Structure formats: C-alpha cells, structure tokens
Amino acid sequence: MSRIVYVNGQYLPEAEATVSIFDRGFLMADGVYEVTSVLDGKLIDFAGHSVRLARSLKELDMAAPCSDEDLLEIHRGLVARNDVTDGMIYLQVTRGNPGDRDFAFPDPETTKPTLVMFTQSKPGMAESPMAKTGIKVISIEDIRWGRRDIKTVQLLYPSMGKMMAKKAGADDAWMVEDGHVTEGTSNNAYIVKNGRIITRQLSHEILHGITRAAVLRFAKEAQMVVEERPFTIEEAKQADEAFFTSASAFVMPVVEIDGASLGGGTPGPVAKRLREIYLEESRKTAI
Ligand code: PMP
C-alpha cells in the first residue's frame, strides 16, 4: 500500500514526494532526524523528541522548519492518513536546497530547511519476538565523529556496524572507544551487575536517548540502583544481564556479547521488568 508522506508543507503519495538533488541532506549529510514510536495510534514521548530535535538544530546552527505545535499536528496527520496503529514516524530536517553545491552554509534567509516525514507501520511491534529471546551483539571499534550527541543523518558507520554484526551471525554491534562501550549502532547500551544498572553517562560521545531518559527515570522510581559510568566489554561479558534501549525497540534484552552468553542465554529479570514498566508508563502518557 502506498503511503502518504509529508514534504515541506504537503501531504503526498510517496511516489510523488521529491527532494532536490542539491539538498544538503543528500550532498553533505547536513541534516538531523528523529524517530518517534506510535502505539495504539498515539505518539510515545513526543515532547522528548521535539526537545532533542530543537537541540540538534541549535548545535548545528540550523533553522527550525516549523513550531512544535505544527510538528505535532503533522505527526498526527500522518498517523491518521496512513491509519497507523503501531509503528514509527521518521522525521528529517536538512539545511535545505541552496541550488548548488558549496561547503559553506547557505544564508538561512534565502535557503529554507527541508522537512520530510513518513510513517513505518509495524503492527504488534510491542510484542516483538526478539524481546522474548534476547539478541546477540558483537563489539566493534567506535570510529564515528566526536559529536554523537547531535542526531545527524550521518549513519554510514552505524550501518556498516550492523552489517559486521550480521556477517558475524549477531543482531547488532556495540561500539567501543578507549576500551569502553559507547553505545549500540542505534541504541543505548546497559549492563546489570548485582542488581545495579550500569550505563554510560551523557556526553558528546553518545546520543542522549529519549528512551534512556525515560527508562532511567522509571528504574529510579522503582527503587532500582542506577550507575552512570563507562563499562568495558570484558565487564559486560561478566555481567548478570545486558540490554539496550531505543525509541523503536523500547527495552531489548541482550543475551550474548562477542560469543559469550549472559544469564544462561535468556533475557534477565531487570530487562524484562524495565520493558514492562516502560511500555506500561509510555502508553499512559502517549498523545
Ligand atoms: N544511540 C544511537 C546511536 C541511536 O541511533 C539511537 C536511536 N536513534 C539511540 C542511541 C537511542 O535513542 P532513542 O532512545 O532516543 O531512540
């Protein structure tokens, strides 16, 4: 079924939606994005995603394409037009089309940002079979740029990481820098040891996950102990359990790291509990 997508003020059938070949998102990866989940037709943590989008734009001196109210309306417009019950809304803002290729940023007065949004329908995505079995990760070197806190569309290395994982018979890769895990290719990484939840602290080295913020808040509310610090792959292999978080996978148990199995190869109780709490609480506040 053909989707209705959104491009610069218009809702169009996907086959009719176009962006210029001079768009800086295409030529320079000069763009940022967000992915917001939809459960039961409602947006999960829209406020968190719009705050992070504003931050990414500001860090790159890029103009906002419209107000948060407009963004919310477009998100809802796409959910309605595509009849999405469960799935995701992808949003991308680029520095627009200056009509030629030039390294220097164009004048924002004459070159307006490009805004593209589309839906990805995933019926029943909260009941993912992977969440029941857990997933396998490998470790790879983190060779990305130094501002991973900005959610840019420069996703080549994370895509290569995913392919390295596939080739090794695993599902994802955790990236390692200076001996410590930064994050997954498209998620934040956690281990659990003696009941303590350990995850890297926020910095320029990792994306400030919206799901991470919510999960850590729920964990603390449930009296779980959270330690925000870097951990090594060796420490992860010795952990009682591991998991990752992202807006589209929620809380996902990790049962194998570089071939070493964790918790007997089945999802651990902390990851399972956090997934339940996250889904329950997020559904309550979805809009
Ligand atoms: N880190 C990276 C590198 C990511 O790409 C993502 C997902 N976009 C995350 C972490 C998780 O962030 P969020 O919970 O906001 O989806």
Side-chain angles (χ1 to χ4, degrees), residues 98-144:
D100 203 352
R101 182 174 181 273
D102 185 354
F103 277 73
F105 292 173
D107 179 352
E109 285 304 314
T110 46
T111 301
K112 295 295 166 198
T114 298
L115 173 61
V116 169
M117 287 175 55
F118 57 81
T119 55
Q120 291 188 288
S121 187
K122 304 260 181 227
M125 94 168 162
E127 282 80 47
S128 155
M130 304 264 268
K132 296 194 175 65
T133 55
I135 64 125
K136 299 175 183 177
V137 302
I138 58 163
S139 62
I140 61 170
E141 197 190 341
D142 195 339
I143 60 165
R144 296 173 301 161

Side-chain angles (χ1 to χ4, degrees), residues 36-43 79 84-89 125:
T36 303
S37 273
V38 178
L39 289 178
D40 307 321
K42 290 184 174 173
L43 303 164
V79 169
V84 179
T85 305
D86 297 335
M88 285 99 78
I89 312 281
M125 94 168 162

Side-chain angles (χ1 to χ4, degrees), residues 59-172:
E59 293 297 308
L60 296 175
D61 276 331
M62 211 184 280
C66 57
S67 68
D68 282 358
E69 292 72 39
D70 291 341
L71 275 188
L72 177 57
E73 198 185 306
I74 305 164
H75 275 78
R76 286 177 163 160
L78 284 174
V79 169
R81 283 171 174 81
N82 294 287
D83 214 2
V84 179
T85 305
D86 297 335
M88 285 99 78
I89 312 281
Y90 177 86
L91 169 160
Q92 179 167 331
V93 183
T94 78
R95 207 181 300 272
N97 161 26
D100 203 352
R101 182 174 181 273
D102 185 354
F103 277 73
F105 292 173
D107 179 352
E109 285 304 314
T110 46
T111 301
K112 295 295 166 198
T114 298
L115 173 61
V116 169
M117 287 175 55
F118 57 81
T119 55
Q120 291 188 288
S121 187
K122 304 260 181 227
M125 94 168 162
E127 282 80 47
S128 155
M130 304 264 268
K132 296 194 175 65
T133 55
I135 64 125
K136 299 175 183 177
V137 302
I138 58 163
S139 62
I140 61 170
E141 197 190 341
D142 195 339
I143 60 165
R144 296 173 301 161
W145 79 324
R147 289 303 306 273
R148 303 157 193 158
D149 56 310
I150 307 172
K151 198 166 168 57
T152 74
V153 296
Q154 302 173 86
L155 297 175
L156 182 54
Y157 188 64
S159 295
M160 291 169 74
K162 260 282 192 220
M163 296 313 293
M164 290 184 237
K166 271 192 177 198
K167 209 170 161 193
D171 305 290
D172 197 18

Side-chain angles (χ1 to χ4, degrees), residues 16 19 108 165 180 187 234 252:
E16 290 168 31
V19 172
H180 293 92
N187 48 69
E234 279 319 306
M252 183 60 70

